[in-house]
Amino acid sequence: MSSEPGATPTPLLHRGLSHRVPDLGALELLLAVARHGSLGAAAREVGITQPAASSRIRSMERQLGVALLDRSPRGSRLTDAGALVTDWARRIVEAAEAFDAGAQALRGRRDSRLRVAASMTIAEYLLPGWLIALHAERPDTAVSLQAGNSAAVAERLFSGEADVGFVEGLAVPDGLDGVVVAHDRLALVAAPSHPWARRRSPLDPAELAATPLVLRERGSGTRQVLDAALSAHGGLAQPLLELASTTAVKAAAVSGAGPAVLSELAITEELASRRLVAIPVKGVLLRRDLRAVWPAGHRPSGPARDLLSLTRG
Amino acid sequence: MSSEPGATPTPLLHRGLSHRVPDLGALELLLAVARHGSLGAAAREVGITQPAASSRIRSMERQLGVALLDRSPRGSRLTDAGALVTDWARRIVEAAEAFDAGAQALRGRRDSRLRVAASMTIAEYLLPGWLIALHAERPDTAVSLQAGNSAAVAERLFSGEADVGFVEGLAVPDGLDGVVVAHDRLALVAAPSHPWARRRSPLDPAELAATPLVLRERGSGTRQVLDAALSAHGGLAQPLLELASTTAVKAAAVSGAGPAVLSELAITEELASRRLVAIPVKGVLLRRDLRAVWPAGHRPSGPARDLLSLTRG
DNA sequence: TGAGGCCATAAGCTGACCTTATGAGCAGCG
DNA sequence: CGCTGCTCATAAGGTCAGCTTATGGCCTCA
């Protein structure tokens, strides 16, 4: 059993998150206890027996090294630490709900009642939330999702493979009608250690254009918007790095490779924790519209309409 | 083994999230595969054998009903669906990292190198992110966290039980110095079905003051700010509901009980998915400062300084 | 053509988590 | 006072997911 004596500088702390964070089932159980004020009632809600719930919460307390519940013969209430842990747990569970909503749509069969085609950014950041909301209002709507670029979305709409599409970009593709459902601003960001992070005055667009950046590859939606916005200021400099995914660009920027331009949607987490810092730029509108689209003249009805009414009220 | 033919209209869909979402270990493994482009390399990173990784990813694909990887004798790459799933998975893992950072601080012993006392809102929403960032820069800083209201934070600082504190509120408690590290705006929100959600013009403060709201109990930070802001407009009406936690208020608002006033920090998720809608209010500044604080004259040094430099650059 | 990367399969072990059965503490009530 | 009904805890036993090791096939490159 790995009884090698020396070694392991950081003692056992590096066996991965999953050994330090309770699994989803335990977190759901904890939320249920918080709601009901009782282990037994929570157990019933999640479909296990009371002893199972008792033991599971107890091993979670052992794992975390923190007492979560005040148990009494009249029920169980969260301790102060327990309340905090429960709130953090709720965020994991919410992320898991979004994952689940997305995964179900991805698996969705062709006979789904609502077939959605969406661009990557929208599928990644916005759609799971919409699907959760849709499920809350119309629980029996089976949704299927296909992700692709604007051209692929348009094609699926024309061929009848999709009921409604979502695209990001400057204009509505030919032959489609659409409404704007959200906006996405592009932000210039850098690691906090970058000199620009300390600037007090907004950056000049020409200076931005002249500086090599970490970017998505040519042809991506983000890159197009940026190209267009900076064409009046001398055009984009040769990129510092060209990467294939938003995630890769983000990782490069966080690790200090250089400044990057990314969708606000992609970086809220990083900004909140100051892994990245936004750098204001003077007078350049790095904004793009996110639109719901459908074949011209065929305004969506039924489930597609339900979905749209969620996205834009 | 459940070989019943017909039946089950919603087949087994209600056994809880944890049966439909892969566990954290599997998600971490997937992220590692995405990074390395190889099951074997990913397995090494997370400390398991290659066959274990292979089988785990495969059962994840079975569970989700979606192919995640294109396997080849030269490695494995994400499919399109796999890329989406991986992005959604990353959000779960990030939430888990925040949970872990918070939980470690909560468990932290008194001999930790950095002892933090923070108000609930800050401990809940901001601190985990800061701790992740701190850990990235100073991996061996052991942090302990105690949560409480402003008075408790001040007390811990005076008694030397804490090295630095974080409070929300209108003013710095007596005897403490501080700097503003972030702002928190209070927002008026309601379920999308509420009439106010359809308003085009901003609400009049007097009308807001006159309407019964879902609120935290008297004495909470949020409530104080709201009271102060509306005292000039006739004072707050009798609350519709008075609840003990931010979460409970949020849940009530989402379920349509009535309009509520909540911290922006608490509702980003709900706004993004339109489970809640923000309602503009005319000319009332519902803003409060979030401050780092320390005993007057004893500017923080060492680890506390490191933490502060993360929160405000 | 052999070395070294990739992935898949098979057989066997372990441990986490479930169940059922039971007991003990506290409240309300006739 | 003792019954009923709620709470939580403990004990004993079964099941299954996920791990390991051992192996084999495919592809590339020197």
Side-chain angles (χ1 to χ4, degrees):
Chain A
M1 319 243 259
S2 86
S3 43
E4 310 255 349
T8 57
T10 329
L12 291 188
L13 276 175
H14 278 286
R15 284 162 60 212
L17 270 186
S18 52
H19 292 92
R20 298 192 306 270
V21 177
D23 67 48
L24 273 175
L27 300 179
E28 285 189 280
L29 177 60
L30 178 63
L31 297 185
V33 173
R35 269 195 302 279
H36 289 89
S38 145
L39 280 168
R44 255 170 274 129
E45 179 185 311
V46 307
I48 61 178
T49 60
Q50 172 268 318
S54 176
S55 125
R56 206 148 186 209
I57 295 280
R58 196 166 285 285
S59 54
M60 182 161 33
E61 289 178 315
R62 257 203 320 276
Q63 178 183 21
L64 298 177
V66 168
L68 301 173
L69 298 182
D70 275 332
R71 297 157 174 82
S72 89
R74 287 192 315 292
S76 299
R77 302 181 56 78
L78 293 173
T79 60
D80 289 350
L84 225 34
V85 167
T86 302
D87 283 317
W88 296 328
R90 187 173 293 109
R91 300 172 75 91
I92 301 182
V93 170
E94 282 167 359
E97 282 167 352
F99 180 107
D100 180 45
Q104 293 212 25
L106 225 39
R107 166 176 62 237
R109 318 282 287 88
R110 295 250 162 52
D111 59 358
S112 295
R113 309 203 33 221
L114 172 56
R115 297 159 308 164
V116 177
S119 73
M120 272 296 184
T121 304
I122 292 172
E124 190 174 336
Y125 295 103
L126 264 13
L127 207 55
W130 294 341
L131 294 180
I132 290 173
L134 179 64
H135 183 74
E137 294 208 356
R138 297 260 192 288
D140 47 358
T141 306
V143 180
S144 79
L145 164 65
Q146 295 202 288
N149 60 28
S150 294
V153 169
E155 172 138 356
R156 293 229 167 75
L157 289 170
F158 290 137
S159 71
E161 289 172 70
D163 303 311
V164 64
F166 292 91
V167 298
E168 60 210 59
L170 300 167
V172 179
D174 277 348
L176 298 180
D177 282 350
V179 300
V180 174
V181 295
H183 301 285
D184 179 28
R185 275 198 299 274
L186 299 184
L188 173 64
V189 295
S193 56
H194 192 279
W196 280 359
R198 302 238 151 76
R199 284 182 67 96
R200 320 212 124 253
S201 56
L203 200 67
D204 194 73
E207 188 175 354
L208 172 58
T211 307
L213 302 171
V214 182
L215 293 173
R216 286 285 302 278
E217 79 286 3
R218 179 170 296 277
S220 77
T222 317
R223 180 74 176 267
Q224 280 175 14
V225 173
L226 189 60
D227 270 331
L230 292 185
S231 61
H233 301 276
L236 220 41
Q238 191 65 21
L240 188 59
L241 236 77
E242 257 187 346
L243 300 169
S245 76
T246 301
T247 308
V249 172
K250 196 160 64 171
V254 169
S255 73
V261 171
L262 284 162
S263 158
E264 272 191 349
L265 291 168
I267 52 173
T268 50
E269 289 282 329
E270 284 74 12
L271 292 179
S273 64
R274 285 188 61 86
R275 288 197 296 275
L276 288 175
V277 178
I279 299 146
V281 179
K282 207 179 321 179
V284 193
L285 256 195
L286 295 174
R287 179 184 178 127
R288 59 182 173 171
D289 295 323
L290 308 181
R291 288 187 173 83
V293 291
W294 52 84
H298 295 64
R299 194 167 195 88
S301 60
R305 232 176 84 89
D306 296 338
L307 177 59
L308 287 188
S309 73
L310 287 172
T311 62
R312 179 51 208 93
Chain B
M1 316 238 258
S2 87
S3 43
E4 311 255 348
T8 58
T10 328
L12 294 186
L13 276 175
H14 277 284
R15 286 162 60 210
L17 267 187
S18 52
H19 292 92
R20 298 194 305 271
V21 177
D23 66 47
L24 273 174
L27 299 179
E28 284 189 281
L29 175 61
L30 177 63
L31 296 186
V33 173
R35 269 196 302 279
H36 288 96
S38 144
L39 280 169
R44 254 169 277 132
E45 180 186 310
V46 307
I48 61 177
T49 60
Q50 171 268 319
S54 176
S55 123
R56 204 148 188 209
I57 295 279
R58 197 166 284 285
S59 54
M60 181 160 35
E61 289 178 314
R62 256 203 322 273
Q63 179 183 20
L64 299 177
V66 170
L68 301 174
L69 297 181
D70 275 333
R71 297 156 173 83
S72 88
R74 286 192 315 291
S76 299
R77 301 181 57 77
L78 293 173
T79 60
D80 288 350
L84 270 180
V85 168
T86 302
D87 283 318
W88 296 329
R90 187 171 294 109
R91 300 173 75 91
I92 300 181
V93 170
E94 283 167 0
E97 282 167 354
F99 180 106
D100 180 45
Q104 294 213 26
L106 225 40
R107 165 177 61 237
R109 319 284 285 85
R110 295 251 163 52
D111 58 356
S112 294
R113 309 205 34 223
L114 172 56
R115 297 160 307 164
V116 177
S119 74
M120 273 296 184
T121 305
I122 291 172
E124 190 175 335
Y125 295 104
L126 264 15
L127 206 55
W130 294 341
L131 294 180
I132 290 174
L134 180 63
H135 183 74
E137 293 207 356
R138 298 262 191 287
D140 48 357
T141 307
V143 180
S144 78
L145 164 64
Q146 295 202 286
N149 60 27
S150 294
V153 169
E155 171 136 358
R156 293 230 167 74
L157 288 170
F158 290 136
S159 71
E161 289 173 69
D163 303 310
V164 63
F166 292 92
V167 298
E168 59 210 59
L170 299 167
V172 179
D174 279 348
L176 298 181
D177 282 351
V179 300
V180 173
V181 295
H183 301 285
D184 179 27
R185 276 197 299 273
L186 299 184
L188 173 64
V189 294
S193 57
H194 191 279
W196 280 359
R198 301 239 153 75
R199 284 182 67 98
R200 318 211 126 253
S201 56
L203 200 66
D204 192 74
E207 188 175 356
L208 172 57
T211 306
L213 302 172
V214 180
L215 292 175
R216 285 287 300 278
E217 78 285 5
R218 178 170 297 274
S220 76
T222 317
R223 180 75 176 267
Q224 280 174 15
V225 173
L226 188 60
D227 271 330
L230 292 186
S231 61
H233 301 277
L236 218 41
Q238 190 66 18
L240 188 59
L241 263 156
E242 257 187 346
L243 300 169
S245 76
T246 301
T247 308
V249 173
K250 196 160 66 170
V254 169
S255 72
V261 172
L262 284 161
S263 157
E264 272 190 349
L265 291 169
I267 52 172
T268 51
E269 289 280 331
E270 283 74 15
L271 291 180
S273 63
R274 286 188 60 85
R275 288 197 296 276
L276 288 176
V277 178
I279 299 147
V281 179
K282 207 180 320 180
V284 193
L285 256 194
L286 295 174
R287 179 183 177 130
R288 59 180 173 174
D289 296 323
L290 308 182
R291 289 187 173 83
V293 291
W294 52 85
H298 294 64
R299 194 167 196 87
S301 61
R305 232 177 85 89
D306 297 337
L307 177 59
L308 287 188
S309 73
L310 287 173
T311 63
R312 179 51 209 92

